[in-house]
């Protein structure tokens, strides 16, 4: 048994006017609750420090840069690092990162129980669009505010296991989980901010969005025989609802814990990393079963290439 | 609307002693029922003509070759081709293929409404093992009797749409669906023979096997915005139970029809291929959102490569 006592720290809404200090105070309260329950590892959502600002179209960089962190830790987040170290608690959270050389990323970090940043990930699959879109019910400007991540999907050793991270829309892409599975990932953490309504399809509402969240998280876990911890920022942010439904999923793809509110809420599970071994050595023993000679298109082409018209074959 | 009226023709058990003629008679009865319901396309399972013989360890090639078809159509299957053409019905079924030059494949074909074979697929992800394994509750010798398919995952134009096929264990591998999704597949058909018990993990029984079947079929459909038709051979074959649970899944990943028995049973749905368009042009618009520069491992490595010991990073 290599048990990690996991606390998925779902966060309720963060309003545009809320300060970093107010948000960090909520995160500390969640960490206290996680500690009382015996957690080793607390995971917060994507962009945990701010409202989900890609819904706002800002023309001016200096206006949008207020949502970004220039250093990590910084003055606002230092109390999280201090308390986690005092608790000998690992943690992970997401934030908007502005690098010293002016690059913008949607980033998450994994901090170990001594306060060291041992893992860093920058979101690769940015959803949405880059310019104001009058056709949408609301904006989703991630492609405007962020560059695609440049660190790949790294898997790192910590806490006696192999860990990886992804963020929100990454979870819909099986390539995300597979690239980490190919590095032996045993636990993958991810945060998300997912609008309750599809901005381009009003009929797709809460239940369907929760269904898709479960579907992709569960299949990613099963197909790579890894624990997946999916943590929402949820609830109504200044009139814009986000789904909740934070999940802890085992390496068989089964949900072992699921949030029941749209507020700040901890869900716990004692996750045994050794539970990954059966799947990784039998049905998903990649070395024995994968057939890479037939996977070339996955890397060689980005978009769809349909078979040519008039290529109907016959006479096999 | 480009509607294909689909009949998924689940088959109950085929015993070792059953003749091809007996099996084809059952398939014709299912086709008749499909026709009465207005179907355009009837899909039968993997290895539809025989019992699931990879559970038997045969030392002698001449003994095992009795399960294979040397031509298609042949005398036993000709009545299927004749009746389908009479009905102007497309069909797909799986069989064990022995090529003129002596190669063995687990194959499926797609026959159009004129009786032409317009698609052919040879199973790529062969599960199980190649030598008798005394540790298993029962044998699963697909790697003994078949070579991995050599046709890739072709997508072909027929019936006004883009179709692909895979077989059984292929569905557990997201690469399968993605390679077809990258060719624009709108409907993917697959047959399966899935033992009700995991031969290496007795605790994993019917409910978990059905859950995994749904999970991988639904996620494959959703993540590629394609219809998936999954058709079981089911029930008790000479003391060896197979799961049923045939499914028709829409491009949102939702189950629209599911078998309720473990016998010969038709499930129907009128599948509109245009329902694929929304997903393919928004959230799963591959050209806009995929980031192939980070997917290299999927093709470059077959098995797991863990990060080196002592590679813990810090100080980001």
């Amino acid at each position: 048994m290599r048990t990690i006592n996991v606390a998925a720290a779902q966060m309720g809404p963060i309003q545009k006017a809320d300060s970093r200090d107010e948000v960090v105070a909520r995160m500390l309260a969640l960490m206290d609750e996680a500690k009382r329950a015996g957690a080793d590892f607390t995971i917060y959502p994507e962009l945990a420090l701010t409202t989900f600002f890609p819904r706002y179209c800002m023309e001016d960089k200096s206006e949008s840069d207020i949502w970004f962190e220039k250093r990590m830790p910084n003055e606002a987040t230092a109390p999280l690092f201090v308390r986690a170290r005092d608790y000998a608690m690992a943690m992970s959270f997401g934030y908007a990162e502005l690098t010293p050389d002016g690059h913008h990323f949607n980033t998450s970090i994994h901090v170990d129980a001594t306060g060291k940043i041992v893992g860093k990930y920058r979101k690769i699959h940015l959803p949405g669009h880059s310019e104001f879109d009058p056709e949408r019910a609301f904006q989703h400007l991630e492609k405007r505010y962020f560059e695609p991540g440049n660190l790949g999907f790294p898997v790192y050793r910590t806490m006696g296991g192999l860990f990886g991270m992804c963020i929100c829309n990454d979870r819909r892409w099986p390539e995300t989980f597979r690239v980490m599975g190919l590095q032996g990932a045993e636990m993958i953490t991810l945060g998300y901010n997912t609008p309750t309504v599809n901005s381009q399809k009003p009929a797709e509402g809460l239940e369907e969005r929760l269904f898709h969240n479960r579907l992709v998280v569960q299949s990613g876990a099963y197909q790579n025989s890894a624990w997946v911890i999916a943590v929402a920022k949820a609830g109504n942010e200044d009139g814009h609802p986000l789904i909740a439904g934070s999940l802890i999923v085992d390496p068989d793809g089964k949900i072992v814990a699921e949030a029941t509110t749209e507020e700040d809420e901890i869900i716990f599970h004692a996750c045994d990393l050794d539970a990954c071994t059966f799947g990784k050595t039998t049905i998903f023993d990649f070395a024995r079963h994968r057939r890479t000679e037939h996977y070339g298109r996955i890397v060689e082409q980005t978009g769809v290439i349909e078979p040519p018209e008039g290529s109907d074959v016959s006479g096999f």
Side-chain angles (χ1 to χ4, degrees), chain A residues 168 171-173 177 192 194 198 201 204-220 243 247:
Chain A
C168 195
R171 73 199 189 285
R172 301 187 196 273
W173 300 84
F177 292 103
Y192 58 93
T194 299
N198 186 326
K201 188 183 182 187
E204 185 183 317
L206 179 62
E207 281 313 311
E208 188 161 349
R209 304 288 265 181
L210 289 170
F211 161 66
H212 286 151
N213 181 53
R214 290 187 199 102
L215 181 62
V216 297
V217 170
Q218 292 181 263
S219 59
I243 67 167
L247 298 170

Side-chain angles (χ1 to χ4, degrees), chain A residues 129-201:
Chain A
H129 50 115
S130 56
E131 300 300 328
F132 184 82
D133 179 356
E135 299 296 313
R136 290 179 185 247
F138 51 90
Q139 302 299 297
H140 198 127
L141 289 157
E142 287 195 58
K143 286 191 198 287
R144 179 186 192 84
Y145 295 121
F146 302 114
E147 296 166 60
N150 60 356
L151 301 174
F153 294 102
V155 169
Y156 42 95
R157 291 181 187 275
T158 188
M159 304 175 78
L162 291 164
F163 288 73
M165 285 181 278
C166 63
I167 300 177
C168 195
N169 180 51
D170 284 319
R171 73 199 189 285
R172 301 187 196 273
W173 300 84
E175 291 90 345
T176 296
F177 292 103
R178 184 60 98 228
V179 170
M180 289 190 271
L182 282 164
Q183 298 170 80
E186 296 171 314
M187 182 175 286
I188 294 167
T189 58
L190 72 98
Y192 58 93
N193 284 255
T194 299
T196 302
V197 177
N198 186 326
S199 65
Q200 297 173 288
K201 188 183 182 187

Side-chain angles (χ1 to χ4, degrees), chain A residues 11 13-29 48-49 76 264:
Chain A
M11 296 176 69
I14 299 176
Q15 308 309 331
K16 200 173 177 184
D18 292 346
S19 72
R20 299 284 201 287
D21 291 345
E22 289 171 296
V23 174
V24 168
R26 284 167 55 187
M27 294 171 77
L28 290 169
L49 305 172
D264 290 6

Side-chain angles (χ1 to χ4, degrees), chain A residues 2-306:
Chain A
R2 288 178 292 145
T3 300
I4 311 287
N5 293 298
V6 165
Q10 175 174 290
M11 296 176 69
I14 299 176
Q15 308 309 331
K16 200 173 177 184
D18 292 346
S19 72
R20 299 284 201 287
D21 291 345
E22 289 171 296
V23 174
V24 168
R26 284 167 55 187
M27 294 171 77
L28 290 169
L30 285 163
M31 194 186 291
D32 293 344
E33 184 184 343
K35 178 66 181 172
R36 286 192 296 274
D40 307 312
F41 184 22
T42 300
I43 299 111
Y44 302 96
E46 175 193 30
L47 299 176
L49 305 172
T50 64
T51 196
F52 187 64
F53 63 85
R55 75 172 67 90
Y56 302 112
C57 190
M58 291 161 279
E59 293 297 327
D60 187 342
K61 273 278 179 208
S62 65
E63 190 189 355
S64 55
D65 278 355
I66 63 163
W67 304 109
F68 285 77
E69 314 299 317
K70 294 193 183 65
R71 290 177 306 285
M72 187 57 63
N74 56 26
E75 197 175 346
T77 59
L80 286 169
F81 284 73
V82 169
R83 192 163 310 174
R85 196 183 54 214
D86 287 350
Y87 283 162
M89 170 94 78
M91 67 171 174
S92 177
F93 65 86
Y95 61 98
E97 178 189 17
L98 176 52
T99 67
D101 53 346
H103 294 286
H104 296 75
F105 296 107
N106 186 341
T107 296
S108 63
I109 51 171
H110 183 137
V111 181
D112 76 6
T114 73
K116 274 197 311 195
I117 297 175
V118 293
K120 185 171 193 171
Y121 170 72
R122 290 169 173 157
K123 186 173 181 177
I124 284 173
H125 296 100
L126 298 170
H129 50 115
S130 56
E131 300 300 328
F132 184 82
D133 179 356
E135 299 296 313
R136 290 179 185 247
F138 51 90
Q139 302 299 297
H140 198 127
L141 289 157
E142 287 195 58
K143 286 191 198 287
R144 179 186 192 84
Y145 295 121
F146 302 114
E147 296 166 60
N150 60 356
L151 301 174
F153 294 102
V155 169
Y156 42 95
R157 291 181 187 275
T158 188
M159 304 175 78
L162 291 164
F163 288 73
M165 285 181 278
C166 63
I167 300 177
C168 195
N169 180 51
D170 284 319
R171 73 199 189 285
R172 301 187 196 273
W173 300 84
E175 291 90 345
T176 296
F177 292 103
R178 184 60 98 228
V179 170
M180 289 190 271
L182 282 164
Q183 298 170 80
E186 296 171 314
M187 182 175 286
I188 294 167
T189 58
L190 72 98
Y192 58 93
N193 284 255
T194 299
T196 302
V197 177
N198 186 326
S199 65
Q200 297 173 288
K201 188 183 182 187
E204 185 183 317
L206 179 62
E207 281 313 311
E208 188 161 349
R209 304 288 265 181
L210 289 170
F211 161 66
H212 286 151
N213 181 53
R214 290 187 199 102
L215 181 62
V216 297
V217 170
Q218 292 181 263
S219 59
Y222 171 62
Q223 290 171 330
N224 295 282
S225 200
W227 292 91
V228 181
I229 321 297
V231 188
K233 181 139 64 67
N236 191 322
E237 292 194 338
D238 292 305
H240 297 275
L242 300 169
I243 67 167
S246 299
L247 298 170
I248 300 177
V249 175
D250 77 13
D252 267 337
K254 280 184 260 181
I255 295 170
V256 296
E258 185 163 10
T260 57
T261 75
E262 294 190 345
E263 301 298 325
D264 290 6
E265 176 185 353
I266 294 271
I267 58 173
F268 294 95
H269 192 76
C271 303
D272 178 11
L273 299 183
D274 285 340
C276 302
T277 306
F278 180 77
K280 286 183 191 292
T281 57
T282 61
I283 197 166
F284 295 116
D285 180 346
F286 292 166
R288 204 144 49 92
H289 300 307
R290 295 180 78 243
R291 305 297 318 185
T292 56
E293 69 272 29
H294 295 297
Y295 303 162
R297 285 179 188 273
I298 293 172
V299 169
E300 289 158 15
Q301 70 185 71
T302 302
V304 170
I305 301 176
E306 294 183 358

